Amino acid sequence: MIIKPRVRGFVCLTAHPTGCAAHVQEQIDYVKARGAIANGPGNVLVIGASTGYGLASRITASFGSGARTMGVFFERPPEEKKCATAGWYNSAAFHRAAGAEGLYARSFNGDAFSDEMKAQVVEAIKADLGQVDLVVYSLAAPRREHPRTGKIHRSVLKPIGQDYTSRTLDTDQGIVSEVTIEPATEQEITDTVAVMGGEDWSFWMEALAEGGVLAPGTTALAYDYIGPEATWAVYTNGTMGRAKIDLRNAARKIDALLKANGDGGAYVSVNKALVTQASSAIPVVPLYISILYHVMKEKGNHEGTIEQIQRLFSTHLYNNNEPQLDDKGLIRIDDWEMEPDIQDRVREIWPQVTSGNLREITDFNNYQEEFLKLFGFGLSGVDYDQEVDAMVGLDD
Ligand code: NAD
């Protein structure tokens, strides 16, 4: 089949297997070029391992430290005449690359929120690895079926308390406009916390502890975002920010659980705003990202997901380093994004952006390229006019 991008709003309905593989290979090459990460993780579980920050974590653990990795994700496999989702092709490419270097990789495709998935993974760890010493929690999901109540919770990206009006960017059309977002109801806040908060992370860590598959000294890691004031109303002070507060509270509980099991610890790392499938769905954020990329490239300190995670592992978690925490106990790998001169420049550019000058004064061109790359399009060396076999299995 010949696969071309079919973008609808902030999603792309198609994904290219060869392009996704090339994208994964770029990340592997980056990690290898940075050199080995000393005293890195040995056996790693990544929950949300197929795209974005979770995939970068899996790649960094494997190709930076030679770790054996298990990954959990929710992706659509290919069907006759229908390509798979990008995360499926990414994971297949990851398996191939890991296998070629003799690195153990096993994946589970299904609902990470379910008790069944947790039980299955615990058994697989017992059988194959014995124990894990790093658990990365990197889910970004629109809904969660609660395993104990059976209730379906849906997350929303809304402000709390009052309407919020801001400039936003239609990333498909390249149009800057004003958007007003209604405040969330109490139920929407509760639901968003249920999906993106810390309860499921706690359930995972409890299941792993009860199964006896956490090595003494295990590190548990989850990802967070704070960002600039311009996005606070819709993110940090909105429904998602509430979920992140819940995630940070869960980290304290999980930290105690890990401390009781040896010298481990739970950490929340605040990461940089980047183009991923999850962030492209957030109002206002793509405009901010387009400006931010422009400013950080001007300064020469722009990073993508793989650069962020490689730096997180090599300067905070491993390589004989200790996590450096801010006054709230968070790792700040968003430190370069939040540098005052970067943020001053973003604030300067923000009100000047129009649909007419978007491509000159921001990095919107690259935003669109990066977005398509998430789905395996626009990779150099890939011939998109060639027939490609979409029926790729995870272990082909
Ligand atoms: P993403 O959309 O690229 O990845 C989400 C992952 O979750 C995928 O592997 C997907 O398969 C998996 N997933 C979703 N629902 C699932 C389910 N029910 N069961 C199993 N797997 C499921 O997202 P991302 O942007 O990498 O976000 C990951 C984390 O990083 C989130 O906590 C997010 O808040 C955080 N973060 C993101 C950014 C950003 O700019 N993208 C910045 C800072 C922090």
Side-chain angles (χ1 to χ4, degrees), residues 144 151-156 186-197:
R144 171 181 177 213
K151 254 186 92 171
I152 307 282
H153 301 278
R154 288 179 205 285
S155 66
V156 298
E186 280 306 316
Q187 188 58 49
E188 286 175 323
I189 299 171
T190 308
D191 283 336
T192 305
V193 172
V195 180
M196 289 297 289

Side-chain angles (χ1 to χ4, degrees), residues 269-344:
S269 171
V270 183
N271 297 352
K272 178 187 175 188
L274 284 171
V275 185
T276 66
Q277 293 186 40
S279 70
S280 45
I282 309 175
V284 190
V285 166
L287 176 58
Y288 168 68
I289 289 180
S290 300
I291 303 172
L292 180 73
Y293 276 28
H294 173 83
V295 173
M296 293 188 79
K297 283 179 187 173
E298 234 175 28
K299 189 169 175 185
N301 63 359
H302 172 68
E303 296 175 301
T305 46
I306 197 67
E307 289 88 353
Q308 276 270 289
I309 299 300
Q310 201 280 341
R311 186 158 68 91
L312 172 66
F313 277 42
S314 60
T315 66
H316 283 272
L317 299 174
Y318 302 107
N319 244 0
N320 302 310
N321 289 310
E322 290 291 318
Q324 301 124 55
L325 308 178
D326 72 2
D327 55 356
K328 295 193 177 66
L330 304 167
I331 297 177
R332 301 302 300 264
I333 207 73
D334 67 338
D335 48 354
W336 296 354
E337 167 183 359
M338 299 314 291
E339 282 172 358
D341 58 334
I342 296 278
Q343 289 301 323
D344 285 349

Side-chain angles (χ1 to χ4, degrees), residues 40-44 58 60-69 94 98 103-105 133-134:
N43 293 334
V44 179
R58 190 174 196 184
T60 303
S62 266
F63 292 92
S65 303
R68 289 166 287 272
T69 63
F94 175 84
L103 293 166
Y104 171 96
D133 50 80
L134 171 65

Side-chain angles (χ1 to χ4, degrees), residues 48 50-51 53 74-75 110-112 138-140 224 244 272 274 276:
S50 55
T51 56
Y53 276 117
F74 208 1
E75 301 293 344
D111 186 8
S138 187
L139 287 189
D224 192 350
K244 293 299 186 188
K272 178 187 175 188
L274 284 171
T276 66

